[in-house]
Amino acid sequence: MSNSAVALDSARHSHNKDILFFEREMLEKALHDKSISNMFMDSLAKNEFKVYYQPKVDLRTNTLCGCEALSRWYAQRLITPAEFIPILEQEGTIKNLDFYVLETVCKNIREWLDKGIEPVLISTNFSKLHLSDEHFEEHILSVLKKYDVSPKYLELELTELSDYQYFERLVRFVNTMQSAGFKISIDDFGTGYSALGYLSYIPVDVIKLDKSLVDAYLTEGQDHFISNLIALVHDLGKTVIVEGVETDDQVRRLAEFRADVIQGYYFSKPLLPNEVICFAATPSG
């Protein structure tokens, strides 16, 4: 019965199989996921999550124009985002992590300002699950007020919607936060199933093209897709950021296609707060 329950849970999350038989790997995954779930809140309280900043580089000027705040979990080992993000997303506890990161970012921005350092625009991620909270906007603003940080230093990233469950709520959120002075972006574009047309109805400032699109299409004979997608986003009056850029050839092609900003290991890995200051002071290659 226990094994059947594990198989049933696996079946609920399977999108391509009508019938599943229990396999040992299912039980191992279930135990692993339970372990991650049980550790999470305690680890958050112990500050075992660290916030890093991955630089974003303006392709036209080859200079630092922003950073994305990324979380890393150090318990007895490094637990990768690929391990814990889907589990936290499924349980809803990703919302706790999102606000932990926002608070850390605001704390770092306040420290930079107090030292006389003008911060670049910092983007921080929020799950679409927050959109079910009618006080979501108020919670964000209260964190900024706590650290006396202006919204002009922050870009709020929302993961691409794969359905229209939160569509109207998303539009209201974007309008409210833009009026307050925030930049808004749609993250991971290209990983869901949203129609391109829905972008014209959401007044976001930035569209981030996911690394999977770079890997799949930014190659000889395939890159017209990326080129056309960038042109379409520009036609909608939005900025294009391309994630996961790692090679000279990718940078060359993206510059040719007039992408605005690139992010990835080509320029820098995610950095600690003090390392970001050093990166900002050093001309990008």
Side-chain angles (χ1 to χ4, degrees), residues 140-240:
I140 292 175
L141 291 168
S142 68
V143 175
L144 271 71
K145 183 177 180 180
K146 176 180 177 181
Y147 293 96
D148 190 22
V149 168
S150 169
K152 71 178 183 179
Y153 295 116
L154 285 166
E155 178 179 290
L156 310 179
E157 293 192 12
L158 289 161
T159 304
E160 179 194 2
L161 297 180
S162 56
D163 54 51
Y164 290 86
Q165 180 183 359
Y166 297 112
F167 185 81
E168 291 183 1
R169 176 71 179 98
L170 173 61
V171 173
R172 281 193 287 121
F173 171 79
V174 170
N175 285 327
T176 300
M177 300 313 278
Q178 283 180 330
S179 296
F182 293 90
K183 294 286 187 184
I184 310 292
S185 66
I186 295 294
D187 192 18
D188 296 336
F189 188 80
T191 60
Y193 301 96
S194 300
L196 286 171
Y198 97 121
L199 293 178
S200 62
Y201 298 102
I202 303 176
V204 296
D205 304 285
V206 179
I207 300 297
K208 297 187 72 176
L209 303 189
D210 187 68
K211 183 181 186 301
S212 62
L213 292 179
V214 172
D215 294 339
Y217 296 106
L218 203 57
T219 57
E220 196 68 46
Q222 296 285 335
D223 54 12
H224 59 278
F225 176 80
I226 297 287
S227 174
N228 292 338
L229 186 54
I230 290 172
L232 173 63
V233 175
H234 281 161
D235 285 345
L236 293 171
K238 305 178 194 305
T239 299
V240 178

Side-chain angles (χ1 to χ4, degrees), residues 59 211 214-215 218-219 242-255 262-268:
L59 259 182
K211 183 181 186 301
V214 172
D215 294 339
L218 203 57
T219 57
V242 184
E243 300 179 291
V245 179
E246 298 177 349
T247 69
D248 285 314
D249 185 60
Q250 290 173 346
V251 173
R252 179 184 61 78
R253 289 173 188 270
L254 290 170
I262 59 175
Q263 176 183 342
Y265 276 76
Y266 178 83
F267 281 108
S268 177

Side-chain angles (χ1 to χ4, degrees), residues 9-227:
D9 188 61
S10 297
R12 286 195 180 108
H13 297 99
S14 174
H15 301 290
N16 57 2
K17 292 183 179 179
D18 295 323
I19 298 174
L20 286 180
F21 291 93
F22 172 79
E23 296 176 357
R24 193 74 189 171
E25 290 77 11
M26 293 178 184
L27 179 59
E28 291 170 357
K29 182 180 184 305
L31 293 173
H32 171 267
D33 291 358
K34 187 66 176 175
S35 172
I36 293 290
S37 176
N38 289 341
M39 292 168 55
F40 171 65
M41 292 305 293
D42 189 48
S43 285
L44 204 60
K46 291 179 179 178
N47 293 318
E48 291 180 343
F49 284 86
K50 304 300 179 188
V51 174
Y52 286 72
Y53 297 92
Q54 186 165 42
K56 300 176 183 178
V57 173
D58 187 317
L59 259 182
R60 290 160 296 188
T61 62
N62 217 37
T63 57
L64 178 71
C65 61
C67 290
E68 179 181 2
L70 301 168
S71 57
R72 296 291 181 265
W73 185 356
Y74 295 94
Q76 295 178 340
R77 64 178 179 86
L78 172 64
I79 304 174
T80 66
E83 279 186 84
F84 66 81
I85 293 294
I87 298 168
L88 303 186
E89 189 82 32
Q90 183 179 328
E91 295 188 340
T93 48
I94 189 70
K95 295 188 287 186
N96 299 76
L97 179 59
D98 289 344
F99 272 97
Y100 175 90
V101 172
L102 175 64
E103 181 134 358
T104 302
V105 167
C106 289
K107 190 184 301 181
N108 288 155
I109 290 175
R110 174 41 51 200
E111 289 168 353
W112 290 327
L113 289 170
D114 289 345
K115 292 176 181 177
I117 299 168
E118 183 68 12
V120 294
L121 186 69
I122 304 294
S123 60
T124 182
N125 294 277
F126 288 93
S127 166
K128 67 180 181 182
L129 297 178
H130 290 282
L131 295 172
S132 62
D133 179 5
E134 289 297 325
H135 301 287
F136 181 28
E137 296 90 335
E138 296 170 32
H139 296 326
I140 292 175
L141 291 168
S142 68
V143 175
L144 271 71
K145 183 177 180 180
K146 176 180 177 181
Y147 293 96
D148 190 22
V149 168
S150 169
K152 71 178 183 179
Y153 295 116
L154 285 166
E155 178 179 290
L156 310 179
E157 293 192 12
L158 289 161
T159 304
E160 179 194 2
L161 297 180
S162 56
D163 54 51
Y164 290 86
Q165 180 183 359
Y166 297 112
F167 185 81
E168 291 183 1
R169 176 71 179 98
L170 173 61
V171 173
R172 281 193 287 121
F173 171 79
V174 170
N175 285 327
T176 300
M177 300 313 278
Q178 283 180 330
S179 296
F182 293 90
K183 294 286 187 184
I184 310 292
S185 66
I186 295 294
D187 192 18
D188 296 336
F189 188 80
T191 60
Y193 301 96
S194 300
L196 286 171
Y198 97 121
L199 293 178
S200 62
Y201 298 102
I202 303 176
V204 296
D205 304 285
V206 179
I207 300 297
K208 297 187 72 176
L209 303 189
D210 187 68
K211 183 181 186 301
S212 62
L213 292 179
V214 172
D215 294 339
Y217 296 106
L218 203 57
T219 57
E220 196 68 46
Q222 296 285 335
D223 54 12
H224 59 278
F225 176 80
I226 297 287
S227 174

